[in-house]
Every structure is written in structure tokens, then in C-alpha cells.
Amino acid sequence: MSPDKVDQLDQRDQLDRRDQLDQRDQLDQRSTAGLDPRSVAAIALEEEHAAHNYHPLAVVVESGEGAWVTDVTGRKYLDCLAAYSALNFGHGHPALIEAAKAQLGRITLTSRAFHNDQLGPFVSALAALAGKDMVLPMNTGAEAVESAIKVARAWGYRVKGVAADKATIIVADGNFHGRTTTIISFSSDPDARADFGPFTPGFVSVPYGDAAALEAAIDENTVAVLIEPIQGEAGIIVPPADYLPAVRDITTRHNVLFIADEIQSGLGRTGATFECDNVGVVPDLYLLGKALGGGIVPVSAVVGNADILGVLKPGQHGSTFGGNPLAAAVGLAVVGLLSTGEYQERARALGERLQANLRRLIGFGVVAVRGAGLWVGIDIDPSLASGRVVCEMLMERGVLAKDTHGSTIRLAPPIVVSPEDLDWAVEQLEAVLTELRG
Ligand SMILES: *Cc1c(COP(=O)(O)O)cnc(C)c1O
């Protein structure tokens, strides 16, 4: 296709998308119609002054405890999203709140221009949990990904001997690694990219789950493979069981770093400390975030051995807030919760229960159920309703969940959820589907 033709198609796509967004805004005005005045006022204020880069459900949350949140009218909802797994340990976990409160009373920020007494204990505990030497502490998940890209490139030039500015990193189609300009440069989601170019070069995308395609894409300039062990935003896509072991084998043979983005899959969600554990694979670098901050503060990290993370020298990377004492104190408490294995085991057992319950709905409005541990993607029959409509109807029944990619609903409740509450959530989904099937 000629570049002009591609441009025209791109423009048409973008216009179509803008139409859809306009329609969505109109729909929203209708969906707030039956709401109480306090919720309406809160939503209106946010809509007027917060950029419209999200499309939230019409619920205004005021407080939360464990797996439940309460809105401004006092109504309770079961939180089946858990802030995209940032709340693996639930809202207000006592051990995490206690760690944060104690640290709030001491000191919250020093910058890394000075040492603080919390960072050492945190990074040594996290390194031990991951079976690695070193931790690079950052704040958001996207920063962990960006940091790993810099580390991998520097490793490529200084250790592997790749020619200057030639390093490439292999990623997978359908990936989600965050929202910065470099990260969206290798996204395959048009919404994530449109109008945000020019993009950062140096990335090659191959089909997810296809080890042969990945190996074929490697050349002398390849420094790393960056993948999610399970693709979360893509709809909880679980690759074939032999995929990650094959990626490990291929990257080792070609002297290429294997970077596992466990920002959403890690820290208990899939019934293990890392999803890589479930398939018996150890990557070179783990990327962690979300639950590492206990749902209290943003804490992220790149975790790896000194032969890789050691490429960073003073002045070559940094973050004003990375490794701050409040984040470190909370992160240490999170590692403490994970060190007993209790949460991993609970996620595994509850996940089996949830998936078994959901499989009973296949053929009754559910097309497919997949996942790992307490992390499930449910494909709804698209002829019944969109995922968004199902989530709105679930909200009416007191269950908060999030759709992705049209007709998929993801469930990722806090691991502290009770088995009874989990069963109840599936009953609510069954009731919604019954209503839709008429
Ligand atoms: C959420 C997420 C990120 C980005 O994390 P932020 O804290 O939102 O920047 C990166 N990778 C994966 C797999 C994620 O799920």
C-alpha cells in the first residue's frame, strides 16, 4: 500500500474513533440520569476539570475495606478490579497501613542524594524474594519499563558489544507496558498511539505466544525480549505452556536479556510470587509495580543480578521519588506479606473456585473463560451485549469490574476476598446474563 493510502486510511480510522468518543460522551450524560445528586455533582466536577483520558463507571467511591468499597451514598460494592491488581492485598490492609502510618510519622522523602534507613531493608528483602542480587527502585510501572529499556540498551553496548545506537528490543503484539512516549512506540493498540508520534525506534514486535517467530526476529543487535508472562490489558491472554520456557531457552542461547513485565501478573495474583514461577522460568529482569505499593503509594522496581543492573553508574539514571522511605517502608511490608506464601496459595485456591464457577456459564452468555490464579478474563457473547454494558449492569448489582477489548470482562478481586463473596459475584454475573438473554 502506498504511504498516501495508509495516511488516508489512518485519518479515516481516527475520524471514526472520534465519532465513537463523541457518542460515548453523549451516552454518559444519559447514564448519570438516575443517579443521586451527590454522585452527579462529584462526577460533573471531575468531568469539567479532569482530562477525559478515562471512561469511568458512574460510581463515586468514598471508602474501602478489604475487597469492598463504599460510594458517597453509603452503597457497598465488591471490588473485582482491585485497581488493576495494585490492591492485591485489599483496601486498607492492616499491616500495610501500619507500616505507612509509622513511616509517615518519621520521614517520607530524602531523595537519593542521601541514604535513608528504609531503602536497604526494602531492596534486600525484594531481591531475596525474587532470588536476584539487586533492585532499581522507581515509582510507576511505566518508569520500571523505561528503566529496563535503558538498562538493556546499556548492557547491549557495554557488555554484549552491540554497535552504537543499533540496539533493538523484541516485544509482542498486543502488549501493554504503560503510557510513556517510548512505551507506546511499540504498542499495537491504535488508541494508545494515534496522534502521539513521532515514535521511539529500536523495537520489533512479533506475535505473542509464538516462540519460533520470536527466535526468527533475533539478530546481532537484539539486546532484550520484553514480554508480559500473561497479557493483562489484551484480555488476560495466557500463552501456551511451553512458550515462556522456550523464550528463556532462546534468549539464553542468543545472549539476549529476558525481561518479564510482571507489573500486573506478579506479587501473588496468579497463585505464585511471579507468573514465571508457574511455568518454572527465571527471567533476567523482573519488572514490578502495582501491588508493590500496597495500593498506598506508587512503588515499582526492576529486579535483576548485578551483572546486568550493575551497568548503571551514578548520574546515568534516577528519580526524585524512587526509593523514598515511605515507599520503601510500604514495599518492605508488601514483601513481608508475600514471604509466607499464604497470599499466593489463597489466590491459587480462590482462582480455581472462581474459574470453576465461571465455566458453568459457558454457553449461557459466556463464550470463554481463561486466566491464572485469581485473574480471569471472561469473553461475553458479543451478540448479547458489550463488555461495558455488562459492567454497568454488574455495578447496578454491586459488583465493580472492568471490560477490555469490546466483549471481555476481567476479574481480579483483592486476594483477601472471601470465597462466599466471590461466589456471590459470579451469581450477579449469572443474573446479568439471564436478564440480557431475556
Ligand atoms: C499497569 C501496567 C504497566 C504500567 O504501570 P503504571 O503504573 O500504570 O505506569 C506496565 N506493564 C503492565 C503489564 C501493566 O499492567
Side-chain angles (χ1 to χ4, degrees):
M1 218 183 290
S2 76
D4 273 5
K5 182 83 188 163
V6 173
D7 262 8
Q8 278 169 21
L9 284 178
D10 268 7
Q11 275 170 19
R12 213 175 53 210
D13 265 13
Q14 285 173 24
L15 289 177
D16 282 355
R17 241 186 339 264
R18 279 182 196 132
D19 275 359
Q20 283 167 14
L21 292 178
D22 285 351
Q23 281 168 14
R24 219 149 76 171
D25 272 356
Q26 283 162 19
L27 272 177
D28 273 1
Q29 280 159 21
R30 257 184 288 149
S31 73
T32 54
L35 276 186
D36 68 285
R38 278 190 69 188
S39 301
V40 170
I43 291 170
L45 192 63
E46 191 180 304
E47 290 287 298
E48 192 175 349
H49 298 291
H52 292 186
N53 56 328
Y54 277 91
H55 181 46
L57 291 174
V59 56
V60 182
V61 174
E62 190 176 69
S63 62
E65 193 185 348
W68 290 84
V69 297
T70 306
D71 77 2
V72 289
T73 71
R75 181 159 184 211
K76 288 192 182 322
Y77 300 82
L78 186 65
D79 182 356
C80 286
L81 179 64
Y84 305 87
S85 292
L87 287 157
N88 278 0
F89 311 101
H91 297 271
H93 189 290
L96 302 182
I97 296 292
E98 194 190 314
K101 277 190 174 158
Q103 193 57 39
L104 278 172
R106 291 196 287 260
I107 192 164
T108 51
L109 186 60
T110 55
S111 89
R112 301 266 323 262
F114 316 121
H115 296 279
N116 73 67
D117 70 345
Q118 298 297 307
L119 183 56
F122 167 53
V123 291
S124 68
L126 181 56
L129 183 77
K132 299 285 190 190
D133 304 334
M134 267 188 177
V135 172
L136 169 61
M138 298 295 287
N139 310 284
T140 64
E143 285 174 301
V145 176
E146 288 275 352
S147 304
I149 290 169
K150 286 175 67 179
V151 166
R153 286 177 169 184
W155 175 87
Y157 302 128
R158 297 173 194 170
V159 180
K160 185 171 175 173
V162 171
D165 288 343
K166 293 287 183 220
T168 57
I169 294 175
I170 298 176
V171 298
D173 299 349
N175 69 73
F176 182 86
H177 298 286
R179 299 295 197 168
T180 64
T181 320
T182 286
I183 293 171
I184 60 154
S185 295
F186 53 85
S187 168
S188 46
D189 174 0
D191 279 336
R193 292 168 54 97
D195 295 336
F196 300 132
F199 300 114
T200 308
F203 300 93
V204 176
S205 194
V206 298
Y208 187 65
D210 182 344
L214 188 142
E215 182 157 25
I218 292 179
D219 65 20
E220 75 276 12
N221 294 325
T222 308
V223 295
V225 169
L226 165 64
I227 46 174
E228 298 155 86
I230 290 178
Q231 287 191 328
E233 299 307 298
I236 327 292
I237 308 299
V238 184
D242 57 359
Y243 179 60
L244 295 173
V247 172
R248 175 68 283 181
D249 174 56
I250 292 164
T251 48
T252 303
R253 276 194 283 111
H254 292 273
N255 193 25
V256 164
L257 301 180
F258 178 4
I259 307 173
D261 181 346
E262 294 251 19
I263 289 169
Q264 199 167 160
S265 57
L267 307 181
R269 174 56 58 191
T270 65
T273 304
F274 306 109
E275 170 57 15
C276 283
D277 295 344
N278 280 331
V279 289
V281 154
V282 179
D284 296 301
L285 297 175
Y286 291 103
L287 308 186
L288 302 174
K290 294 203 164 104
L292 192 56
I296 299 174
V297 279
V299 185
S300 70
V302 182
V303 185
N305 282 339
D307 56 343
I308 301 167
L309 278 180
V311 298
L312 289 181
K313 302 292 180 229
Q316 296 176 348
H317 193 58
S319 161
T320 304
F321 284 91
N324 73 73
L326 179 60
V330 172
L332 177 63
V334 165
V335 174
L337 293 183
L338 286 166
S339 61
T340 67
E342 175 197 333
Y343 288 90
Q344 295 89 321
E345 177 51 32
R346 186 179 174 89
R348 198 195 54 71
L350 288 178
E352 270 171 23
R353 183 180 180 122
L354 175 63
Q355 291 198 39
N357 279 340
L358 286 169
R359 290 223 163 79
R360 289 191 293 104
L361 301 180
I362 292 176
F364 295 90
V366 169
V367 179
V369 174
R370 57 181 175 271
L374 201 47
W375 198 26
V376 183
I378 307 162
D379 291 340
I380 302 292
D381 178 351
S383 70
L384 270 189
S386 67
R388 174 76 187 191
V389 166
V390 173
C391 287
E392 282 170 355
M393 292 173 74
L394 280 170
M395 184 184 78
E396 292 300 317
R397 293 177 170 274
V399 175
L400 297 183
K402 175 81 174 77
D403 55 299
T404 184
H405 290 268
S407 54
T408 300
I409 296 173
R410 55 160 124 217
L411 295 183
I415 299 168
V416 297
V417 69
S418 76
E420 295 74 25
D421 289 347
L422 206 52
D423 294 350
W424 175 82
V426 177
E427 283 164 27
Q428 302 318 302
L429 177 61
E430 188 168 4
V432 165
L433 295 173
T434 306
E435 214 175 303
L436 284 169
R437 285 155 54 87

